[in-house]
Amino acid sequence: MKEAKFEYLLRLGDSSLIIGHRLSEWCGHGPILEEDIALINIALDFVGNATSLLSYAGDVEGKGRNEDDLAFMRGEREFRNLLITEQPNGDYANTIARQFLFDTYMYFLYEELKSSKDETIAAIAVKSHKEITYHLRHTSEWMLRLGDGTAESHERLQNGLNDLWMFTSEMFDMDEVDAILIKEGIAPDLTKVKASWEKRVHEVLAEATLQIPTTTFKQKGSKEGKHSEHLGFLLAEMQYVHRAYPGAKW
Amino acid sequence: MEDAKQLEAFEAKIAAGQKIEPKDWMPEAYRKQLIRMMSQHAHSEIVGMLPEGNWITRAPSLRRKAILLAKVQDEAGHGLYLYSATETLGIDRSELLSQLHTGKAKYSSIFNYPTLTWADIGAIGWLVDGAAIMNQTALARGSYGPYCRAMIRICKEESFHNRQGYEIMMHLAQGTPEQKALAQDALNRWWWPSIMMLGPSDDQSPNSDQLMRWKVKMESNDAIRQRFIDRTIPQADFIGLTIPDKDMKLDAATGHYEHGPINWEEFFEVIKGNGPCNAKRLKARVDADKNGAWVREAAMAYAAKQTKDKLVA
């Protein structure tokens, strides 16, 4: 039970940490100042959410590791973030597509987590769900603007969606960890989350005049720490300073 | 004749400590000078996001990462606020940005220096924001309403950044020997550019009586610089760091610190575009603008469709 909960918290916390990192890479390079502000703000929400989850993961594990030990001292194979979160930013359409697919997932997942029997998870979910509601509104609006904007923006966004589609199915994969926590009422059954996700994604895509990608090929592996090659570079950058000064306090 | 009367009323208003608001009559020279100053300030905020943003992905702890994200978000917000305030003078943001991108408008010289280590994030908050506050608290007492109100708000946030920067430096200075060396190195590199960013010395930059009378400029560069130095040196002493100026000494009679000679040649080179990062910073802004063009076009096209739909419905 303890191991399953620790593992589950890493999955949630790592996904937030890694997508927050990707979003923060846009800082100062956004297409318009208002978007710079929005993206930094959203990145900050994700880093905050990751901090809460990883801090709690450390408590659950009970080996004296705190959120920084977990964020900065684990290697590539120990990270449990969804593959979609580590995919590079690409152009703005690609970032919006990635963010929309992930925000929609997170919105419905955290809606369920709000009633988790684990009080800490429920409390984190209540706080985060408020933030995610804004994130999803922001990305959904951009899906419409880019999808139904110009021919160029439409094509770029459709390409982004097509490229990322293969990473979406693993969001809803369940394994032994999920089974244990579902039984305890701590984690939700993802079947319901998947149905809500599909419904919402299809609605927004239709309104944005976009096609549902036909890709059937699926990428998975994050639950076992099998990532794309991108994660190693991301971690090398993120962890470098922390690891270069062992024992230092910041 | 009309102009002379209006000018008299305008000056009387300023002398009485009242603010000039966007719809009030103002001399063309006043408007031009404010556009120049305010847009330069706005550009400095958004170019300033680059050297600091440079360390977000490498911040050494989650707490430091969150603080830095929040700080850079504040800078972006200041930029937006200042562009909007500048727009009240009858110029739009796209025009101001094009002046930045073509090199016609300037931004603070300080952001043309590189952030080489994590300690630079501390040094920028402590020194660069510290110096900026000295200037901005003076400007908050100026005559143009929208700019003063922007300054009051910005100064509050900058004071927070200033303390956060000092806190980073304090942590490093009290940390391992390697951390202390990082802090001292950052101070060595940022000290001179920070005191230079307050502008040329008074003998090279004579204050126009008119700008002072119009409360566009409130204090001389040297006066602001002196205040910054007097405030900062005890802070460095307190955390055991050394100001890289062997000539620095306290004048017991005046109570002010006297600094050694400033390398103004370096300052003017940076202003001319020959600083270590001028080309890189400007390219980053130009690229962001270029790469974002299709996004802005799409947003406009979509908005136009919505308006049309509404009219049809």
Side-chain angles (χ1 to χ4, degrees):
Chain A
M1 208 339 240
K2 196 172 90 174
E3 287 76 16
K5 202 198 277 186
F6 174 66
E7 182 72 17
Y8 192 75
L9 287 164
L10 292 185
R11 291 175 186 177
L12 295 177
D14 288 349
S15 282
S16 288
L17 179 61
I18 301 302
I19 203 152
H21 181 103
R22 282 296 186 215
L23 286 175
S24 76
E25 292 172 348
W26 272 103
C27 179
H29 307 282
I32 189 167
L33 187 51
E34 283 82 348
E35 278 309 284
D36 258 319
I37 297 176
L39 293 181
I40 302 168
N41 198 3
I42 295 170
L44 180 57
D45 285 345
F46 279 119
V47 171
N49 171 265
T51 305
S52 305
L53 290 164
L54 293 179
S55 165
Y56 184 43
D59 293 344
V60 167
E61 187 194 33
K63 290 184 184 166
R65 292 203 279 183
N66 66 17
E67 64 275 19
D68 285 337
D69 297 323
L70 291 170
F72 296 98
M73 298 303 287
R74 279 180 301 147
E76 294 88 335
R77 298 276 286 107
E78 295 167 278
F79 267 76
R80 296 292 182 262
N81 58 289
L82 290 165
L83 299 177
I84 195 170
T85 62
E86 71 205 33
Q87 299 310 307
N89 287 335
D91 64 11
Y92 202 65
N94 193 76
T95 294
I96 290 296
R98 185 190 63 200
Q99 205 58 38
F100 170 69
L101 297 171
F102 181 72
D103 284 347
T104 309
Y105 162 76
M106 207 168 159
Y107 178 84
F108 290 113
L109 172 63
Y110 276 61
E111 196 166 64
E112 296 297 318
L113 286 172
K114 284 200 284 188
S115 47
S116 169
K117 286 205 175 134
D118 182 293
E119 282 175 18
T120 308
I121 293 178
I124 294 171
V126 166
K127 179 176 183 286
S128 296
H129 196 260
K130 283 185 200 148
E131 297 166 350
I132 301 158
T133 305
Y134 285 109
H135 303 169
L136 181 58
R137 190 196 294 172
H138 174 258
T139 36
S140 300
E141 284 172 359
W142 275 103
M143 288 295 287
L144 299 182
R145 286 190 196 107
L146 299 183
D148 194 17
T150 61
E152 181 183 1
S153 68
H154 178 90
E155 189 188 343
R156 283 176 184 263
L157 185 55
Q158 187 67 59
N159 289 342
L161 277 173
N162 294 349
D163 291 346
L164 291 162
W165 200 254
M166 63 180 169
F167 298 109
T168 55
S169 78
E170 74 152 1
M171 293 172 173
F172 311 105
D173 286 346
M174 287 180 280
D175 63 5
E176 188 58 21
V177 170
D178 294 275
I180 294 168
L181 298 179
I182 289 169
K183 209 173 139 205
E184 297 290 327
I186 292 172
D189 186 325
L190 294 172
T191 320
K192 189 179 162 196
V193 173
K194 186 180 184 186
S196 308
W197 182 88
E198 279 177 347
K199 184 167 178 285
R200 177 66 71 90
V201 167
H202 291 185
E203 281 167 3
V204 173
L205 261 53
E207 198 185 339
T209 71
L210 293 158
Q211 301 296 317
I212 298 161
T214 49
T215 332
T216 50
F217 186 60
K218 296 176 172 71
Q219 292 286 358
K220 57 179 181 180
S222 70
K223 282 182 155 71
E224 296 89 42
K226 291 180 190 161
H227 291 273
S228 59
E229 289 177 346
H230 303 297
L231 185 69
F233 289 98
L234 188 156
L235 294 181
E237 183 172 337
M238 185 176 88
Q239 297 179 337
Y240 155 70
V241 179
H242 187 95
R243 288 184 182 238
Y245 301 88
K249 299 267 183 294
W250 302 95
Chain B
M1 191 57 208
E2 189 56 25
D3 270 12
K5 259 191 204 163
Q6 281 174 319
L7 181 62
E8 199 181 315
F10 167 85
E11 294 201 341
K13 203 169 176 184
I14 292 174
Q18 288 175 294
K19 300 294 181 197
I20 303 300
E21 295 300 334
K23 286 181 178 165
D24 295 346
W25 183 89
M26 61 186 81
E28 216 29 50
Y30 177 84
R31 184 188 302 274
K32 271 197 180 147
Q33 178 67 16
L34 275 169
I35 289 176
R36 197 184 69 81
M37 275 176 59
M38 289 167 67
S39 66
Q40 191 168 315
H41 189 168
H43 298 327
S44 301
E45 298 282 358
I46 60 162
V47 175
M49 291 167 67
L50 298 167
E52 295 190 88
N54 187 31
W55 280 90
I56 290 173
T57 55
R58 293 176 289 174
S61 72
L62 293 179
R63 176 171 168 265
R64 291 293 178 200
K65 192 188 288 287
I67 292 173
L68 183 55
L69 276 164
K71 175 181 197 286
V72 178
Q73 192 196 350
D74 283 350
E75 313 293 4
H78 297 169
L80 189 60
Y81 207 59
L82 286 164
Y83 282 125
S84 303
T86 314
E87 284 188 325
T88 65
L89 290 160
I91 185 163
D92 68 21
R93 203 206 307 180
S94 59
E95 170 67 19
L96 296 169
L97 286 174
S98 113
Q99 291 176 355
L100 171 69
H101 298 153
T102 55
K104 191 183 160 204
K106 300 279 181 224
Y107 54 86
S108 178
S109 58
I110 196 82
F111 299 120
N112 292 311
Y113 290 87
T115 46
L116 298 181
T117 73
W118 167 253
D120 291 26
I121 298 305
I124 288 183
W126 176 34
L127 303 173
V128 177
D129 293 337
I133 292 167
M134 293 296 159
N135 191 28
Q136 290 164 5
T137 44
L139 289 172
R141 291 180 279 114
S143 61
Y144 190 55
Y147 194 34
C148 296
R149 291 188 286 272
M151 281 303 112
I152 288 168
R153 184 183 152 150
I154 288 171
C155 282
K156 280 183 192 161
E157 295 185 351
E158 292 295 351
S159 304
F160 205 63
H161 299 167
N162 178 239
R163 270 176 274 167
Q164 287 169 339
Y166 187 58
E167 197 235 343
I168 289 177
M169 292 301 262
M170 189 187 285
H171 252 82
L172 293 173
Q174 294 168 352
T176 65
E178 290 86 356
Q179 284 178 303
K180 184 164 185 182
L182 281 180
Q184 183 62 53
D185 172 62
L187 173 57
N188 293 348
R189 283 180 291 109
W190 287 92
W191 173 254
W192 291 104
S194 297
I195 64 171
M196 283 192 265
M197 74 177 258
L198 293 166
S201 57
D202 296 348
D203 53 354
Q204 291 174 82
S205 169
N207 284 299
S208 126
D209 287 345
Q210 193 184 53
L211 291 181
M212 293 291 246
R213 193 169 68 244
W214 286 352
K215 294 187 185 170
V216 169
K217 195 152 172 82
M218 301 298 291
E219 263 183 289
S220 83
N221 296 345
D222 283 340
I224 296 173
R225 187 166 17 249
Q226 188 63 55
R227 220 149 25 89
F228 171 66
I229 291 172
D230 288 342
R231 195 184 103 124
T232 307
I233 292 192
Q235 294 176 338
D237 289 344
F238 183 72
I239 56 175
L241 295 179
T242 310
I243 299 287
D245 178 356
K246 58 178 174 25
D247 299 322
M248 181 75 72
K249 57 178 187 295
L250 182 65
D251 182 333
T254 63
H256 293 302
Y257 286 92
E258 283 177 20
H259 60 79
I262 293 174
N263 181 0
W264 289 114
E265 204 180 315
E266 174 181 318
F267 176 76
F268 288 112
E269 280 299 314
V270 175
I271 292 286
K272 269 194 282 174
N274 301 328
C277 296
N278 293 63
K280 186 168 186 267
R281 299 287 184 248
L282 197 56
K283 184 174 185 307
R285 289 312 317 165
V286 170
D287 286 351
D289 188 63
K290 228 187 271 177
N291 296 335
W294 68 268
V295 179
R296 298 190 297 274
E297 275 165 29
M300 297 298 282
Y302 179 76
K305 283 183 199 175
Q306 302 310 301
T307 317
K308 213 172 120 195
D309 286 354
K310 260 187 206 154
L311 291 176
V312 174

